Amino acid sequence: GDRLNGFENGKTQLLCLCVRLQVVLKIIKHYQEEGQGSEVVQGVLLGLVVEDRLEITNCFPFPQHTEDDVDFDEVQYQMEMMRSLRHVNIDHLHVGWYQSTYYGSFVSRALLDSQFSYQHAIEESVVLIYDPIKTAQGSLCLKAYRLTPKLMEICKEKDFSPEALKKACIGYEHMLEEVPIVIKNSHLINVLLLDLQEKSTVADKHELLNLSSSNHLEKSLQLLMDRVDGMSQEIVKYNTYCRNLTKQQQQKQQYLQRRQQENTQRQSRGEPPLPEEDINKMFKPPQAPPRMDTLLIAGQVNNYCQNIKAFTSQNLGKLFMAEALQGHSS
Amino acid sequence: MSVHKQVARTKIQNNSLNSSARSPAPNLPIGRASSKISDWLIRVVAVTDTRPPTSARGQQHESHGDLRSLSSSLFIIILHFLYEIMAVHGPVVKIHPVVLASIVDSYERRNEGASRVIGTLLGTTDKHSVEVTNCFSVPHNESEDEVAVDMEFAKNMYELHKKVSPSEVIIGWYATGYDITEHSVLIHEYYSREAPNPIHLTVDTALQSNKMNIRAYVSSQMGVPGKTVGVMFTPLTVKYIYYDTERIGVDLLHRTRASPSRTNGLTTDLAQVASAAGRVQEMLSTVLSYIEDVLSGKVMADNSVGRFLMDLVNKVPKITAEDFESMLNSNINDLLMVTYLANLTQAQIALNEKLVVL
């Protein structure tokens, strides 16, 4: 990616993100046409950085990873696309990427790795998460995230052991930070919107006020349960590790004590003391389980909970509205 | 076949001093209004054409010239007029808003000195309709007497796009601007090599008539066979089509369009329900004021509106109070329980985290 002038490393504070209408529409269209079910669709965002805002002016989609296209070169596709877009004066600076998500499950290792490589190359890049199911329920759901500087440090070190994480004091809440999105349009686009509004004959869909909620709740809760199961497995793993560690420490102590006793005995008998053996080789410390997965799962569970809470609060509001309607008519 | 072709053909027939200045070929499926207009036009042309064949050659040429200019100007007037009033036979063009947004964006980014932008349209075709779902702009140079379009680029971009969505094909091209120029004919010819019967879309970004006119055309041959053959652009009906999610995205932008800095934020969840409730309230108050007017006699009562009102009132389901209470309570309990569980889970993972750090 290109380096943008005027920014010092690590000191940028991105206040907000300006997205243009056609980026939003393109992302929606890409998912609608190419994404089926729980497959994610991905693409690249193009734009430029203006003072403290990141403006996203265009985007193009990535083709799906098909099985029969083994020799498909992603990098080449990207390069060609950017070159062509440069010809027609479209901003060709990579500023991030977008991905669709299934019921809000996007906090994963793959996302972390991709976002880390992007952010490593370009300081200000973001990942736009588009939730098509929530959008179909009534309101556009588009969120932008970046990795916090702390998480960037850890990923750079590639050290995911518990000690390192403890040192960095990183919790699941500090992994991803959300950047507020603002949709900005030119005047000509506003004219277009006015025109469309006049001419479109499709009736307004009032999906937002739909009362049925059980299907969505069920799905979300199921995903939440899976993750919590995964979480408990990780916890069990960690607990066994801790127990093994303490047991080993105890064994080490006992061995040392015995050694000492023997040595004192030998000395009293006048024999040379036993050679000092390498304690560490005898008692190899157990492998510390990597904590990154736990952190990711915790972050994902947190995300699910947030989404569920938002959904239930919306539904409570709608139920109260329905009650009001009944009250008037009865 | 459209009425324009039929009119043009009869005019040419008349101009070639054919004696049959009578009704046109009767088998064309034309609408009633259009047939009336064409009859009138043919009569006009026939009347002005009857001059004694023995007059001097020069005079004949002059009257021919007058006639031709008269007919061509009449022709153009009628073309614009007919576009507004009748559905033309031909495929219906359905456009997604993403295409229009891209066209406007590429117009805003055009090179210095270029007055218009052209590009390729991608989409799918059907028996009766053409759906335009994607587009990309193509660099081109246009001057008074020549036009150069970068065809390699167009081919390349099409290949790249095909990798992502293999079902989209080239179905035509677009140009910004109000009129169709001679250069358009050349470009259209190129595109007819790429796609059968390409569509030409014009988007008036210069806002000549205070509106962004979006029109679609298909080209057809015209002329006398054997002699000079010309190309005519016949207009097609344009419809806007949305996916549901697209509709929701565009609606969001409509609603928050009035902000002076042209920016909108995406609102939080409960606020959205509140604003939706506000909109329903507005609509209800409009309906109520109409009813008041009718009751007080200011406005005439309309039966169809009355029927809609009946439907509206009947839509609120009639449930006995206890049943409704129990339903409402069970639903609310479900939601509250889920909220409680979600909060519990969040507390649990927070605790877990702190325990690890200890």
Side-chain angles (χ1 to χ4, degrees):
Chain A
D2 297 30
R3 262 284 145 183
L4 299 150
N5 301 329
F7 275 109
E8 312 115 54
N9 287 350
K11 306 283 189 297
T12 60
Q13 180 64 339
L14 211 50
L15 287 186
C16 83
L17 196 68
C18 288
V19 177
R20 300 203 73 189
L21 169 68
Q22 67 160 340
V23 174
V24 174
L25 288 178
K26 271 190 175 171
I27 295 180
I28 294 179
K29 166 199 178 285
H30 185 207
Y31 177 78
Q32 189 74 32
E33 291 188 350
E34 306 300 327
Q36 291 102 20
S38 52
E39 280 181 27
V40 293
V41 295
Q42 296 178 333
V44 171
L45 298 171
L46 307 163
L48 61 149
V49 182
V50 177
E51 297 157 18
D52 58 352
R53 298 193 310 270
L54 178 64
E55 287 206 12
I56 298 184
T57 50
N58 213 332
C59 66
F60 62 84
F62 258 144
Q64 303 275 38
H65 289 272
T66 49
E67 318 79 29
D68 46 331
D69 225 0
V70 187
D71 51 347
F72 174 72
D73 194 358
E74 269 195 21
V75 180
Q76 195 205 10
Y77 171 82
Q78 222 168 312
M79 286 287 117
E80 276 210 38
M81 202 58 159
M82 305 226 303
R83 223 180 318 144
S84 315
L85 290 175
R86 205 194 310 221
H87 269 204
V88 284
N89 296 338
I90 295 183
D91 301 318
H92 55 279
L93 296 173
H94 247 162
V95 290
W97 59 299
Y98 69 83
Q99 181 180 301
S100 74
T101 173
Y102 181 67
Y103 278 107
S105 55
F106 58 87
V107 184
S108 67
R109 200 54 193 272
L111 183 115
L112 200 69
D113 289 337
S114 309
Q115 181 60 15
F116 171 68
S117 54
Y118 262 93
Q119 237 170 297
H120 194 59
I122 305 156
E123 190 72 36
E124 305 79 15
S125 63
V126 295
V127 54
L128 266 187
I129 301 286
Y130 165 64
D131 191 344
I133 297 168
K134 208 143 176 244
T135 305
Q137 280 184 344
S139 61
L140 184 62
C141 179
L142 201 64
K143 296 212 168 103
Y145 294 100
R146 342 171 39 225
L147 303 182
T148 48
K150 279 195 216 165
L151 193 62
M152 289 287 289
E153 284 298 321
I154 294 193
C155 285
K156 253 187 255 194
E157 308 291 322
K158 290 209 190 310
D159 181 12
F160 298 131
S161 60
E163 289 79 26
L165 290 179
K166 218 186 290 192
K167 218 177 1 159
C169 303
I170 195 165
Y172 63 87
E173 284 173 323
H174 307 299
M175 283 204 308
L176 296 171
E177 59 181 5
E178 189 175 333
V179 185
I181 295 185
V182 154
I183 298 189
K184 189 174 153 100
N185 291 318
S186 64
H187 293 294
L188 211 50
I189 297 253
N190 277 343
V191 174
L192 178 70
L193 283 176
L194 271 169
D195 221 30
L196 283 179
Q197 197 173 24
E198 268 183 25
K199 300 225 179 101
S200 56
T201 52
V202 179
D204 261 344
K205 291 204 115 194
H206 292 283
E207 266 310 307
L208 191 53
L209 296 175
N210 198 358
L211 272 181
S212 69
S213 59
S214 49
N215 202 15
H216 186 260
L217 263 186
E218 246 182 68
K219 275 264 167 58
S220 311
L221 281 178
Q222 200 154 3
L223 289 168
L224 183 63
M225 284 194 314
D226 288 338
R227 285 315 180 129
V228 171
D229 279 340
M231 183 71 156
S232 61
Q233 280 176 354
E234 293 281 326
I235 292 178
V236 161
K237 251 196 270 178
Y238 187 70
N239 281 342
T240 40
Y241 159 73
C242 280
R243 245 179 294 138
N244 284 347
L245 196 63
T246 44
K247 232 194 296 184
Q248 210 189 43
Q249 299 281 41
Q250 281 180 343
Q251 281 179 342
K252 234 199 266 187
Q253 291 293 14
Q254 284 177 349
Y255 180 78
L256 279 174
Q257 276 181 343
R258 262 187 286 133
R259 267 305 176 103
Q260 287 249 297
Q261 282 179 347
E262 261 202 53
N263 274 341
T264 44
Q265 280 180 357
R266 282 193 176 208
Q267 270 185 344
S268 62
R269 277 184 284 172
E271 287 171 16
L274 288 168
E276 281 297 316
E277 285 175 15
D278 194 0
I279 305 281
N280 287 337
K281 260 206 219 129
M282 289 184 46
F283 292 96
K284 252 202 275 264
Q287 188 75 9
R291 299 294 295 160
M292 198 42 161
D293 287 332
T294 322
L295 211 58
L296 285 170
I297 295 184
Q300 184 60 69
V301 167
N302 190 33
N303 205 27
Y304 280 143
C305 291
Q306 303 265 41
N307 283 350
I308 290 180
K309 282 202 290 193
F311 183 71
T312 50
S313 64
Q314 267 190 324
N315 265 46
L316 278 174
K318 289 190 238 177
L319 281 177
F320 283 129
M321 267 172 66
E323 186 190 12
L325 272 180
Q326 277 290 323
H328 279 166
S329 72
S330 61
Chain B
M1 293 224 273
S2 76
V3 69
H4 320 287
K5 254 192 282 195
Q6 168 230 330
V7 166
R9 188 171 295 148
T10 43
K11 268 200 286 222
I12 290 167
Q13 280 174 356
N14 288 333
N15 279 347
S16 57
L17 295 177
N18 200 340
S19 58
S20 63
R22 257 171 263 187
S23 54
N27 301 332
L28 293 174
I30 322 171
R32 218 179 304 159
S34 57
S35 69
K36 282 217 184 89
I37 292 174
S38 59
D39 280 339
W40 168 80
L41 185 63
I42 288 159
R43 248 174 261 129
V44 163
V45 170
V47 158
T48 50
D49 202 319
T50 50
R51 49 193 177 279
T54 54
S55 49
R57 227 164 143 84
Q59 270 183 321
Q60 240 184 14
H61 271 282
E62 258 181 32
S63 45
H64 271 210
D66 284 344
L67 190 58
R68 254 189 221 117
S69 60
L70 168 71
S71 56
S72 62
S73 50
L74 271 174
F75 187 76
I76 292 185
I77 292 172
I78 291 192
L79 181 72
H80 281 280
F81 173 56
L82 283 171
Y83 193 95
E84 303 294 324
I85 61 164
M86 70 177 218
V88 184
H89 300 279
V92 176
V93 179
K94 301 194 193 148
I95 308 186
H96 281 265
V98 60
V99 171
L100 298 170
S102 304
I103 295 178
V104 170
D105 182 66
S106 42
Y107 176 75
E108 287 172 356
R109 289 168 183 281
R110 65 192 186 285
N111 285 319
E112 285 288 333
S115 59
R116 62 180 195 160
V117 182
I118 67 167
T120 311
L121 292 173
L122 303 171
T124 50
T125 56
D126 201 5
K127 229 187 334 172
H128 303 291
S129 67
V130 170
E131 195 168 326
V132 184
T133 50
N134 206 348
C135 68
F136 56 83
S137 71
V138 173
H140 85 301
N141 289 321
E142 199 167 305
S143 59
E144 266 305 315
D145 38 345
E146 68 163 12
V147 62
V149 179
D150 193 349
M151 291 312 174
E152 269 307 308
F153 179 89
K155 270 203 186 35
N156 249 353
M157 281 293 262
Y158 176 53
E159 292 298 313
L160 289 175
H161 276 267
K162 230 170 48 160
K163 289 206 181 113
V164 178
S165 26
S167 60
E168 284 182 349
V169 289
I170 297 185
I171 51 164
W173 62 293
Y174 70 82
T176 60
Y178 187 62
D179 277 330
I180 304 181
T181 63
E182 310 91 38
H183 301 318
S184 311
V185 178
L186 288 168
I187 303 178
H188 199 86
E189 213 164 309
Y190 169 72
Y191 275 100
S192 15
R193 268 178 268 148
E194 297 283 320
N197 210 11
I199 306 263
H200 174 45
L201 190 73
T202 57
V203 178
D204 184 14
T205 42
L207 303 173
Q208 264 191 357
S209 50
N210 288 333
K211 270 214 283 200
M212 198 179 278
N213 272 316
I214 297 171
R215 295 183 175 183
Y217 302 91
V218 111
S219 82
S220 40
Q221 300 281 330
M222 79 164 174
V224 182
K227 300 215 182 150
T228 51
V229 182
V231 163
M232 190 167 50
F233 284 98
T234 48
L236 307 167
T237 33
V238 168
K239 284 207 178 117
Y240 300 113
I241 182 173
Y242 303 78
Y243 298 126
D244 289 343
T245 37
E246 264 182 343
R247 180 82 208 184
I248 292 174
V250 173
D251 277 348
L252 167 77
L253 290 160
H254 280 322
R255 265 179 256 135
T256 45
R257 197 186 47 220
S259 141
S261 60
R262 296 176 274 119
T263 62
N264 334 287
L266 301 175
T267 52
T268 64
D269 298 305
L270 207 51
Q272 286 160 357
V273 177
S275 54
R279 279 197 300 282
V280 174
Q281 218 170 4
E282 265 179 42
M283 292 195 270
L284 279 178
S285 55
T286 320
V287 172
L288 274 176
S289 61
Y290 170 78
I291 297 177
E292 303 273 325
D293 285 342
V294 171
L295 283 179
S296 60
K298 268 190 257 175
V299 178
M300 280 296 298
D302 189 358
N303 276 339
S304 51
V305 176
R307 259 174 253 133
F308 279 130
L309 286 173
M310 271 284 284
D311 275 342
L312 184 70
V313 172
N314 283 338
K315 276 218 168 78
V316 179
K318 284 199 183 60
I319 319 175
T320 57
E322 304 93 36
D323 282 345
F324 186 75
E325 274 293 310
S326 57
M327 274 201 285
L328 189 72
N329 282 335
S330 65
N331 266 329
I332 292 186
N333 282 338
D334 283 341
L335 292 174
L336 287 176
M337 179 188 78
V338 170
T339 316
Y340 175 71
L341 283 175
N343 278 331
L344 193 63
T345 320
Q346 275 186 313
Q348 173 66 44
I349 46 177
L351 264 179
N352 178 52
E353 184 131 329
K354 299 291 183 263
L355 283 176
V356 167
V357 174
L358 273 179

